[in-house]
Amino acid sequence: MVQLLSPEGERVPNPELDAIVDDLSDEALRGLYRDLVLVRRFDAEATALQRQGELGLWASLLGQEAAQVGSGRAMRRQDYAFPTYREHGVAWCRGVDPVNLLGMFRGVNHGGWDPNEKNFHLYTIIIGAQTLHATGYAMGVQRDGDVGTGDDRRDTAVIAYFGDGATSQGDVSESLVFAGVNNSPVVFFCQNNQWAISEPNEKQTRAPLWHRARGFGFPGIRVDGNDVLAVYAVTKQALDAARTSQGPTFVEAFTYRMGAHTTSDDPTKYRVSAEVEVWKHRDPIERYKRWLTTTGTADTDFFDAVDAEAVELGASVRERCLSMPDPDPTEMFDHVYADAHPVTAREKEWFAGYHASFEEEVSR
């Protein structure tokens, strides 16, 4: 497993990847810490909002911040990401307003950002389906001639995010087949958080997940998913390979889901607390903070400023979430088809009248 920072925050040399980390400025290194802290604070606020009845559901990323921030910051502007419903950290790195992530879970929209503006697809609820979308998009990038041109502003890579449980889905297997056969510029980024809802890894596979890539004809690699530097370096290397026509890579980020699968789940029913305690000592933020402190890259003033910013972010997210307007009920008919359709038009007209009849009854 590739690791550049030990759980104690000590630098682990790696001749192949050291140069990638060395290219990061002190400002960029501090920026990674800021990302980790703010993403965690947003996630905690969203969880609290759900518990208070303001969101219908929430999928927490607690413990997976380094896997998401490290990979998200490795992308270039023109790269395109296809997430699941848990990639809040990647969304942050792609410039998506955190409050926009809450709309779907609050039931007021289907995703509050423009995917083509952010190069970050809308959240996908169907397990594994986004890997097909990513592979198809990557094949399109090939056919558009936006791979291997040598132009850093043009050459494009695609990254598909999914969990360990999704590797048991046929969609993922089909995606790996198409990507391998077509040498597509896509990185399959698997966040192995040890649990597919209530099913542990040993009930899903007998071999490490990254070994699967070999059977489809392209390389795989396992990285410490709680090590933001290692994730950044490994993902950057894989994305660079994709952009230069070297084909796909399977990255297994070995991490842990500290909380529940979603807020409708109770993990105490299927895993022991001792396991969670072990992973608490591998916390990605504390590990990185120790290294920044030891190397003198960041000081107390910096950490205090980030903590203060996190508090402000939490308050802003709460305020703006509670003020999100409810949609017009008839909007559900607007995007059923790409173009206007007579059937949905009639249904919308009928529903508008039906809905208005309740208001008339109340006014009487």
Side-chain angles (χ1 to χ4, degrees):
M1 182 168 66
V2 176
Q3 187 179 80
L4 299 183
L5 288 179
S6 71
E8 295 73 33
E10 298 175 351
R11 186 73 163 80
V12 180
N14 185 303
E16 184 179 355
L17 299 174
D18 285 344
I20 296 176
V21 175
D22 291 342
D23 281 342
L24 291 171
S25 65
D26 286 353
E27 181 180 3
L29 292 171
R30 288 190 292 269
L32 290 174
Y33 178 83
R34 175 179 176 270
D35 290 335
L36 294 171
V37 172
L38 296 185
V39 166
R40 177 171 290 186
R41 183 65 185 84
F42 162 69
D43 181 66
E45 192 64 45
T47 300
L49 285 165
Q50 193 284 328
R51 294 307 189 197
Q52 294 160 11
E54 301 298 340
L55 301 179
L57 186 75
W58 184 248
S60 173
L61 58 57
L62 183 62
Q64 299 178 219
E65 296 90 353
Q68 297 193 15
V69 168
S71 60
R73 288 302 181 196
M75 298 174 66
R76 291 181 184 168
R77 183 194 58 78
Q78 70 269 25
D79 295 338
Y80 208 107
F82 288 82
T84 67
Y85 44 77
R86 200 187 303 273
E87 271 66 62
H88 321 314
V90 184
W92 171 270
C93 293
R94 299 308 282 172
V96 176
D97 185 338
V99 176
N100 285 346
L101 300 176
L102 304 179
M104 179 179 68
F105 296 98
R106 190 169 169 81
V108 300
N109 60 42
H110 297 294
W113 65 92
D114 181 351
N116 292 324
E117 176 192 356
K118 305 299 184 182
N119 278 18
F120 183 76
H121 199 267
L122 296 177
Y123 277 3
T124 302
I125 306 300
I126 302 171
I127 304 300
Q130 71 281 358
T131 60
L132 288 172
H133 306 158
T135 301
Y137 189 95
M139 292 168 65
V141 168
Q142 281 178 306
R143 285 153 178 75
D144 287 342
D146 291 333
V147 182
T149 69
D151 185 347
D152 289 344
R153 294 173 298 179
R154 177 179 176 182
D155 289 338
T156 302
V158 180
I159 184 167
Y161 289 90
F162 53 99
D164 48 288
T167 62
S168 299
Q169 293 288 335
D171 286 1
V172 175
S173 181
E174 292 163 8
S175 301
L176 298 175
V177 169
F178 271 87
V181 169
N182 289 278
N183 203 47
S184 301
V186 57
V187 174
F188 294 99
F189 194 91
C190 174
Q191 293 176 83
N192 181 359
N193 63 20
Q194 313 299 308
W195 291 91
I197 308 183
S198 59
E199 291 297 301
N201 274 183
E202 58 265 25
K203 290 190 176 181
Q204 300 176 67
T205 179
R206 293 185 62 182
L209 295 176
W210 66 277
H211 282 186
R212 295 192 177 190
R214 187 182 309 167
F216 294 94
F218 54 86
I221 187 170
R222 173 183 276 186
V223 60
D224 186 337
N226 285 20
D227 177 354
V228 69
L229 292 183
V231 173
Y232 172 83
V234 165
T235 309
K236 184 179 186 304
Q237 187 179 62
L239 290 169
D240 286 345
R243 295 190 204 97
T244 53
S245 298
Q246 296 179 55
T249 302
F250 187 107
V251 176
E252 178 190 354
F254 196 75
T255 182
Y256 193 78
R257 191 193 77 212
M258 294 299 295
H261 174 69
T262 69
T263 47
S264 65
D265 171 44
D266 181 4
T268 64
K269 300 294 185 182
Y270 53 80
R271 69 184 188 189
V272 297
S273 58
E275 179 180 287
V276 180
E277 288 300 316
V278 169
W279 280 91
K280 281 184 179 179
H281 296 289
R282 303 173 185 175
D283 183 81
I285 297 181
E286 289 303 313
R287 174 189 303 198
Y288 192 52
K289 184 177 182 179
R290 290 192 199 104
W291 181 74
L292 291 175
T293 302
T294 302
T295 58
T297 307
D299 56 19
T300 302
D301 289 342
F302 168 75
F303 295 128
D304 289 345
V306 171
D307 288 341
E309 186 179 1
V311 172
E312 293 177 2
L313 175 64
S316 172
V317 166
R318 166 168 289 276
E319 179 183 354
R320 290 194 292 147
C321 176
L322 297 181
S323 63
M324 293 176 98
D326 291 333
D328 185 325
T330 61
E331 287 183 9
M332 73 175 83
F333 299 95
D334 290 346
H335 302 291
V336 177
Y337 294 97
D339 300 314
H341 194 284
V343 173
T344 53
R346 289 195 300 270
E347 291 175 343
K348 180 176 181 178
E349 182 181 4
W350 177 89
F351 182 80
Y354 174 73
H355 191 265
S357 69
F358 289 96
E359 298 178 356
E360 294 171 1
E361 188 67 26
V362 170
S363 64
R364 292 175 187 172

